[in-house]
């Protein structure tokens, strides 16, 4: 299916870049994937879908105004952190985490500026990590998200909300038993929580969006979500946190990054990714407890930390085949490219 015919279209290019930016949250450089993911958000809440668009437009538009690298713009790489920042600010300042709330004019301006800042942060992280051949991932989102969530508490013009959604495993009951729904909802919601969607149906629809561009990518996301959920259950994680996908979303992203996107898909990188997904599940609880005293959510910090730790030193392991940050395509294309070079 032809998906790049609008990348340089005089009037539709910007929309194409923004949709790719939404897809790039889960490593999908495909506007159709971005569109399906946006539909998944709208299925849960039109507010989140609108805020996702606002965030990605602000970040991508800032990159256009600053005349950022056109290849990165065309691939949506300046937009995904902005989309996530917008979603996070609404999620953690709304009365109802699941649906979000229509932002006030003050909050809308606030989140648009936060989204725009991720463009500069992305460029800075990319420059710092370039000598190490490692991608910025969602580090710009995590940094800007934390900074702007801290500041919310100091401005009366922005309603911080009750921050009612639990962000630490200690805030869930440990007496609720696991049931069948714990598993299928927990796995689906793990995918949904990447976009702050506390909705397992939206999560599985996001998985469909990933599969439109890469079946291996979707398989890795699903595997990571399953591993994160299973590890949390095996170690006695609270049922509510497992069902809400809180142990699985960082694991899903980690698995995708380590097997197919930044390392060529093979059985060794598969084992490497499974190990990373396990660690990411454990570290979600660790970081959540660490941040609890200051009331900050984990966001995707666990994914960033684990993936950086496992990519920065991968050059020491000859069994792993790296993909340069400037080159990643789908896991299928990365694997085929290596196969052609070796044949």
């Amino acid at each position: 299916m032809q998906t790049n015919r609008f990348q340089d279209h005089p009037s539709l290019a910007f929309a194409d870049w923004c949709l790719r930016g939404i897809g790039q949250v889960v490593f999908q450089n495909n506007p159709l994937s971005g569109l399906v993911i946006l539909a998944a958000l709208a299925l849960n809440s039109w507010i989140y879908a609108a805020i996702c668009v606002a965030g990605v437009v602000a970040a991508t538009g800032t990159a256009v105004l600053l005349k950022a690298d056109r290849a990165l713009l065309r691939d949506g790489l300046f937009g995904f952190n902005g989309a996530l920042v917008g979603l996070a600010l609404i999620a953690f300042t709304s009365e109802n985490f699941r649906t979000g709330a229509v932002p006030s004019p003050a909050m809308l301006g606030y989140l648009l500026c936060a989204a725009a800042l991720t463009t500069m942060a992305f460029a800075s992280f990319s420059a710092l990590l370039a000598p190490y051949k490692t991608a910025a991932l969602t580090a710009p989102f995590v940094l800007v998200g934390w900074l702007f969530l801290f500041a919310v508490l100091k401005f009366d013009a922005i309603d911080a909300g009750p921050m009612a959604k639990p962000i630490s495993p200690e805030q869930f009951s440990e007496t609720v038993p696991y049931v069948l729904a714990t598993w299928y909802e927990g796995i689906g919601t793990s995918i949904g929580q990447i976009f702050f969607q506390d909705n397992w149906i939206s999560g599985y629809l996001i998985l469909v969006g990933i599969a439109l561009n890469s079946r291996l990518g979707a398989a890795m996301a699903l595997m990571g979500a399953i591993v994160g959920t299973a590890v949390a259950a095996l170690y006695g994680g609270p049922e509510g946190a497992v069902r809400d996908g809180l142990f699985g979303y960082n694991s899903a992203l980690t698995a995708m990054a380590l097997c197919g996107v930044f390392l060529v898909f093979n059985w060794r990188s598969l084992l490497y990714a499974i190990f990373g997904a396990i660690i990411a599940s454990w570290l979600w609880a660790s970081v959540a407890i660490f941040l609890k005293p200051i009331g900050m959510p984990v966001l995707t910090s666990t994914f960033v930390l684990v993936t950086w730790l496992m990519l920065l030193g991968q050059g020491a392991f000859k069994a792993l085949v790296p993909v340069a940050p400037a080159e990643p395509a789908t896991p299928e294309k990365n694997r085929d490219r290596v196969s052609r070079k070796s044949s």
Side-chain angles (χ1 to χ4, degrees):
M1 183 181 296
Q2 181 63 255
T3 60
N4 59 0
R5 56 182 171 176
F6 297 125
Q7 277 185 301
D8 295 306
H9 192 280
S11 57
L12 298 176
F14 186 76
D16 180 277
W17 302 345
C18 288
L19 287 173
R20 289 175 191 272
I22 295 170
Q24 286 285 14
V25 173
V26 283
F27 306 108
Q28 305 310 305
N29 182 12
N30 187 317
L32 293 178
S33 293
L35 191 61
V36 171
I37 291 168
L38 194 61
L41 270 60
L43 176 69
N44 180 53
S45 166
W46 69 267
I47 296 172
Y48 276 127
I51 292 301
C52 181
V53 171
V56 75
V57 166
T60 306
T62 299
V64 171
L65 289 174
L66 294 175
K67 296 185 177 180
D69 182 274
R70 188 169 179 83
L72 298 180
L73 271 170
R74 292 173 78 251
D75 288 344
L77 290 174
F78 281 104
F80 68 97
N81 283 288
L84 287 173
V85 161
L87 290 169
L89 286 172
I90 292 300
F92 291 105
T93 60
S94 296
E95 186 78 25
N96 186 330
F97 179 97
R98 180 160 188 168
T99 62
V102 176
S104 65
M107 173 52 102
L108 182 59
Y110 191 71
L111 71 84
L112 290 176
C113 288
L117 182 59
T118 64
T119 296
M120 295 78 155
F122 175 78
S124 297
F125 273 107
S126 297
L128 287 171
L129 293 168
Y132 308 102
K133 298 181 180 179
T134 302
L137 305 177
T138 55
F141 151 59
V142 173
L143 176 62
V144 174
W146 279 342
L147 292 176
F148 273 68
L149 281 170
F150 271 125
V152 161
L153 301 175
K154 291 295 184 181
F155 298 119
D156 291 337
I158 300 174
D159 184 5
M163 296 290 279
K165 184 67 178 177
I167 57 174
S168 171
E170 292 182 347
Q171 294 171 276
F172 289 90
S173 171
E174 296 184 358
T175 61
V176 178
Y178 294 105
V179 295
L180 178 61
T182 305
W183 299 103
Y184 68 78
E185 290 187 16
I187 293 166
T189 310
S190 291
I191 305 296
Q193 286 287 7
I194 296 172
F195 292 86
F196 300 96
Q197 301 307 291
D198 190 5
N199 185 317
W200 61 274
I201 298 175
S202 291
Y204 286 117
L205 185 54
I206 290 169
L207 202 62
V208 171
I210 298 171
L212 279 175
N213 188 53
S214 170
R215 293 181 182 178
L216 284 178
M220 289 301 99
L222 181 59
M223 184 203 73
I226 291 171
V227 168
T229 302
V231 167
L234 182 64
Y235 280 81
E239 192 273 347
V242 173
R243 188 191 286 241
D244 278 1
L246 298 181
F247 285 99
Y249 70 96
N250 280 288
S251 295
L253 287 170
T254 301
M256 295 179 75
L258 294 178
C259 187
V261 176
F262 298 111
L263 296 174
V264 174
F265 184 95
N266 57 39
W267 70 267
R268 291 183 176 90
S269 64
L270 177 60
L271 294 178
Y272 203 63
I274 291 172
F275 180 76
I278 292 170
I279 300 300
S281 182
W282 284 333
L283 292 192
W284 177 85
S286 175
V287 175
I289 292 170
F290 176 77
L291 293 174
K292 183 184 176 183
I294 56 175
M296 284 296 106
V298 176
L299 305 179
T300 55
S301 60
T302 303
F303 152 61
V304 173
L305 289 172
V306 174
T307 303
W308 276 353
L309 282 172
M310 297 182 71
L311 285 179
L312 284 168
Q314 56 80 26
F317 309 127
K318 295 181 180 179
L320 301 173
V321 182
V323 178
E327 296 179 356
T330 63
E332 292 86 348
K333 290 180 180 178
N334 289 332
R335 183 183 57 181
D336 292 344
R337 184 164 50 200
V338 171
S339 298
R340 287 196 300 270
K341 286 181 181 180
S342 60
S343 61

